[in-house]
Amino acid sequence: MNRVLVTGGAGFLGSHLCDRLVGRGEDVLCVDNFFTGSKRNVAHLLEHPYFELMRHDVTFPLYVEVDRIFNLACPASPIHYQFDPVQTTKTSVHGAINMLGLAKRVKARILQASTSEVYGDPEVHPQPEGYWGRVNPVGIRSCYDEGKRCAETLFFDYWRQHKLQIKVVRIFNTYGPRMHPDDGRVVSNFICQAITGKDLTIYGDGSQTRSFCYVDDLVDGMMRMMDSRADLTGPVNLGNPGEFTMIELAEKILSLVGGPSKLRFMPLPEDDPRQRRPDISLAGAELDWKPKVALEDGLKETVAYFRRVLAQ
Ligand code: NAD
Ligand code: UDP
Ligand code: UDP
């Protein structure tokens, strides 16, 4: 049995990861400051003998004994990471330093939840891992994008300098149950708007694209990466290569939910990437991984979840 630390474990992705780790018999320590996550996401695990929840902010040192670390702590939605941008950079950078320091001391294997945002507004499409990206260093998304880029740098420097076993995954837009209804991300916004009969808010003309991965597929990829051969550092893209415009996504969600909602066009946020689609050939070759859940099926699960949450 591994002692596994999951930072950001009470968030959307982290709580699903905790479920899967506990389910396969690992001894899980979930660390979270509950900025965007909540105890509700892991409440069902609290009675489990091999699950432990600790309130802690990763920008402060943490002394625990573990074998593996999944570092997910960081708000992921633009409205939340822009709420206190200085804290966002601190979480990515100081958080990475502390978790890498911890990994170094206890000789733990450590995985970083990086992001497709490291590619910025890409001119290479789809994005392979070798593409260095096009990121604005001084814009409103920079606290997140540059914080995550610097975290990757730290991971590779600890690997080169201290011979740590590192794993870096670049996660593309992921959705599913336990997204926060007020999270501001496009899938949760559209579904909640459709269920409550409000108009769906399309930013810009809705022709920008994203690729949406269902959470179960993503968590499977993260676990495969953690279990992979010792010298596989990544970065490895994880995401679903199906690519949709925001108009297509809105229409799909409207047809699943029904109701009177229409599309409402609103200003496009600054630095909003035009297009995004992962090249996942590396994950296929190295991890024998590819997503299995079609967008329509994943959306059905997510709609059912939000119907329950919004009815409470
Ligand atoms: P989330 O906001 O639901 O989860 C983040 C968790 O980290 C929350 O529980 C939050 O309370 C916690 N947290 C934030 N700052 C912290 C701090 N200083 N100390 C301790 N805990 C802290 O978001 P998510 O979608 O679950 O994202 C998880 C990770 O995956 C993030 O690192 C994010 O950057 C990355 N990621 C997610 C996506 C996606 O589409 N969901 C895409 C790319 C990358
Ligand atoms: N750290 C931690 N837990 C540990 C070991 C280290 O939080 O178990 C933190 C420590 O506070 C330090 C950071 O990780 O600031 C980086 O540690 P490292 O050993 O790499 O550097 P140093 O301590 O020499 O600054
Ligand atoms: N978006 C939108 N309406 C919303 C929320 C988001 O049209 O209510 C757009 C947003 O401008 C972006 C895309 O949907 O182009 C994905 O946004 P999200 O915040 O989910 O993720 P990210 O921009 O970080 O990929």
Side-chain angles (χ1 to χ4, degrees):
M1 181 190 284
N2 289 306
R3 295 163 304 174
V4 186
L5 167 61
V6 180
T7 76
F12 161 52
L13 293 180
S15 62
H16 285 276
L17 178 62
C18 288
D19 280 346
R20 292 281 296 277
L21 292 167
V22 167
R24 76 169 195 190
E26 314 275 21
D27 184 358
V28 176
L29 172 60
C30 169
V31 162
D32 206 295
N33 71 349
F34 304 120
F35 174 49
T36 50
S38 85
K39 279 188 192 164
R40 205 173 339 116
N41 286 339
V42 289
H44 58 285
L45 292 171
L46 290 175
E47 297 304 310
H48 198 286
Y50 293 109
F51 180 82
E52 202 177 338
L53 177 60
M54 180 195 269
R55 182 192 294 266
H56 175 81
D57 183 326
V58 295
T59 60
F60 296 100
L62 175 67
Y63 286 82
V64 290
E65 310 307 311
V66 291
D67 308 300
R68 291 178 164 198
I69 303 169
F70 286 90
N71 188 37
L72 275 66
C74 185
S77 155
I79 54 168
H80 289 126
Y81 70 64
Q82 288 163 11
F83 172 76
D84 184 349
V86 173
Q87 178 63 21
T88 300
T89 302
K90 281 187 190 169
T91 292
S92 274
V93 176
H94 292 180
I97 291 174
N98 286 328
M99 292 310 105
L100 287 160
L102 168 61
K104 184 178 121 194
R105 181 179 62 80
V106 299
K107 300 189 172 41
R109 182 178 274 212
I110 180 166
L111 178 144
Q112 168 68 356
S114 190
T115 169
S116 55
E117 290 286 329
V118 302
Y119 301 121
D121 189 7
E123 28 344 33
V124 172
H125 194 70
Q127 294 79 53
E129 291 83 353
Y131 175 51
W132 290 357
R134 186 162 73 113
V135 174
N136 176 358
V138 295
I140 57 171
R141 294 175 84 100
S142 313
C143 59
Y144 184 73
D145 300 9
E146 297 288 17
K148 287 284 189 179
R149 286 170 67 98
C150 184
E152 287 198 10
T153 307
L154 284 161
F155 268 68
F156 279 86
D157 282 332
Y158 268 80
W159 171 69
R160 277 184 286 261
Q161 204 173 324
H162 300 300
K163 313 286 176 258
L164 248 62
Q165 274 194 39
I166 63 151
K167 308 273 170 193
V168 175
V169 291
R170 292 183 177 154
I171 302 169
F172 285 64
N173 298 61
T174 301
Y175 70 98
R178 295 192 201 142
M179 292 183 94
H180 198 287
D182 300 322
D183 194 60
R185 282 185 269 192
V186 68
V187 173
S188 42
N189 271 9
F190 285 180
I191 293 179
C192 292
Q193 288 161 344
I195 292 174
T196 54
K198 298 193 185 105
D199 289 344
L200 274 54
T201 52
I202 309 263
Y203 301 163
D205 64 5
S207 64
Q208 71 271 36
T209 66
R210 293 292 187 276
S211 302
F212 298 100
C213 186
Y214 190 62
V215 60
D216 291 356
D217 283 334
L218 198 282
V219 168
D220 180 48
M222 282 175 83
M223 291 178 60
R224 282 171 189 252
M225 183 63 177
M226 181 58 105
D227 293 339
S228 65
R229 62 184 164 79
D231 60 345
L232 180 69
T233 57
V236 172
N237 287 339
L238 293 178
N240 191 318
E243 185 183 2
F244 300 87
T245 66
M246 294 312 103
I247 301 257
E248 286 168 339
L249 177 70
E251 282 167 353
K252 242 182 211 311
I253 289 174
L254 280 180
S255 76
L256 286 175
V257 177
S261 306
K262 309 226 168 347
L263 306 187
R264 180 151 68 95
F265 289 87
M266 297 180 55
L268 187 69
E270 217 177 284
D271 291 338
D272 200 275
R274 286 287 318 149
Q275 54 182 1
R276 191 181 286 152
R277 169 153 60 101
D279 177 335
I280 56 165
S281 34
L282 184 61
E286 289 287 357
L287 309 176
D288 190 24
W289 177 86
K290 68 167 191 278
K292 297 192 182 83
V293 181
L295 181 60
E296 183 138 333
D297 297 330
L299 287 177
K300 280 186 191 152
E301 293 292 324
T302 314
V303 167
Y305 168 78
F306 279 117
R307 281 197 198 280
R308 287 197 300 278
V309 168
L310 295 176
Q312 278 164 15

